[in-house]
Amino acid sequence: MIRVVDLFSGAGGLTFGFKNRIENNTFIESNEFDILFANEINKNASDAFLLNFPEIPMLNCSITDINESYLQEKNIDYTDVDLVIGGPPCQSFSTVGKRQYDERAKMYQEYRRVLTFVQPKVFLFENVTGLLSMKNDEKLPVLEDIKKSFSDFSDFGIDLSYEIKDSVLNAKHFGIPQNRERVFLIGIRKDLEIVHDWQFPAPEIDNEFLTLEDAIGDLPSLGNGETKHLYENAPYTNYQRLMRNQCNYLMNHVNGTNGEKMLTIMQAVIPGEGRNYINSLVESGALDQKYYLTSGYDNTYGKLWWDRPSSTITNNLTTPSSLRCIHPIQNRALTPREGARIQSFPDTFQFIGAIKSINSQIGNAVPPLLAMVIAQQLKDFFDENFLIGRE
């Protein structure tokens, strides 16, 4: 088995992909990877992780607390680690936010510090594409700074170095109904004898991507402020059948309560349009002046397309005034369960906390199906280079 540590785990999107595979359009538990421990500072996310992966030790603490003494006190095995996976907080790098090179932006340095005593053969690092254009305190590209720091650990007084490979992967190319690009770094320890070089997974789908309807079309319709816990329709796509995962109780399918102004705006906007479209209706006299929107970005108050992949799911997926998240054929925003479906979490996957916290657990995650593709690629890489004959 490949021995793994999951840092900044969230509710467990990466772990799900490493602990499961798909056979006959059904999720099957995989035993190829042994997750030695996971770390997540957010209590709700760590509780959700434990709920879904009760057999994996979870350290609900800041990564800054984790050192060899701490792991020994917790009786956590961190010896002979093959792989570290995880992505530090991405909000500082997001092109939507303030893009500040703040303490959260520097958390990759803590990820790096953990590598100094875990010293895995390989690590997987994930973050938003905003990382590509973010600058550090010296106005240099953050990504290059990160890659350079992972290539040389001499500042710790140890002989440790990784060869870094990076790529941008889009979830829609791997059977996920979401246009979601993310940066992935793979680090391979330079002291190892690598025969077969690492290759990122090639896109599996170049067109005819899964659509929003393919993902959530079977879920019950909801009125203003309504919640439903029972399925009303049979799944009619393979993706819907996979996501049902033999679930018979619908969790987190709740619609918020909106006032008259928001209901009117959501009804008026058309798929693919948003704030500017509403304002154009006001300017033309088609809508009353009271509906004019003075705040937000061009794609806030945006309505999704039914016949295309979803836009990138964010932490505000249930807030209609946020980035594009209005349902294309119902007068409401997405529900947390719809967001989870779009991210490729099965309906059996449980989240913990209030809606805001649940949305963060969903929006921050690596889509499990994408994690599954990467996990298979890593398994093949380990089999070719390290694990032949190892049990």
Side-chain angles (χ1 to χ4, degrees), residues 226-238:
E226 189 174 14
T227 298
K228 290 185 178 178
H229 296 295
L230 298 177
Y231 298 99
E232 297 175 351
N233 305 295
Y236 57 89
T237 68
N238 283 336

Side-chain angles (χ1 to χ4, degrees), residues 186-311:
I186 288 286
I188 303 167
R189 247 177 45 207
K190 288 183 179 179
D191 64 312
L192 303 173
E193 294 183 4
I194 302 300
V195 178
H196 300 276
D197 202 8
W198 167 261
Q199 299 292 328
F200 281 95
E204 298 176 354
I205 303 171
D206 288 324
N207 52 37
E208 298 186 9
F209 303 114
L210 286 178
T211 68
L212 186 63
E213 182 184 6
D214 291 332
I216 66 172
D218 63 314
L219 294 177
S221 61
L222 295 173
N224 195 30
E226 189 174 14
T227 298
K228 290 185 178 178
H229 296 295
L230 298 177
Y231 298 99
E232 297 175 351
N233 305 295
Y236 57 89
T237 68
N238 283 336
Y239 187 85
Q240 292 167 10
R241 284 186 279 271
L242 175 65
M243 290 296 109
R244 287 279 183 105
N245 201 31
Q246 301 181 347
C247 187
N248 53 25
Y249 180 81
L250 187 56
M251 297 175 286
N252 312 122
H253 193 50
V254 52
N255 179 26
T257 301
N258 293 287
E260 183 276 333
K261 180 178 180 179
M262 185 59 72
L263 289 171
T264 299
I265 289 171
M266 289 193 293
Q267 186 66 43
V269 71
I270 61 175
E273 297 291 347
R275 172 180 174 269
N276 292 345
Y277 179 80
I278 293 297
N279 288 345
S280 71
L281 293 181
V282 174
E283 291 164 353
S284 69
L287 280 180
D288 189 272
Q289 187 66 35
K290 68 180 180 179
Y291 298 109
Y292 192 86
L293 301 170
T294 58
S295 62
Y297 302 96
D298 289 348
N299 58 350
T300 52
Y301 300 90
K303 182 170 285 189
L304 293 159
W305 298 268
W306 203 224
D307 59 353
R308 302 184 191 182
S310 170
S311 301

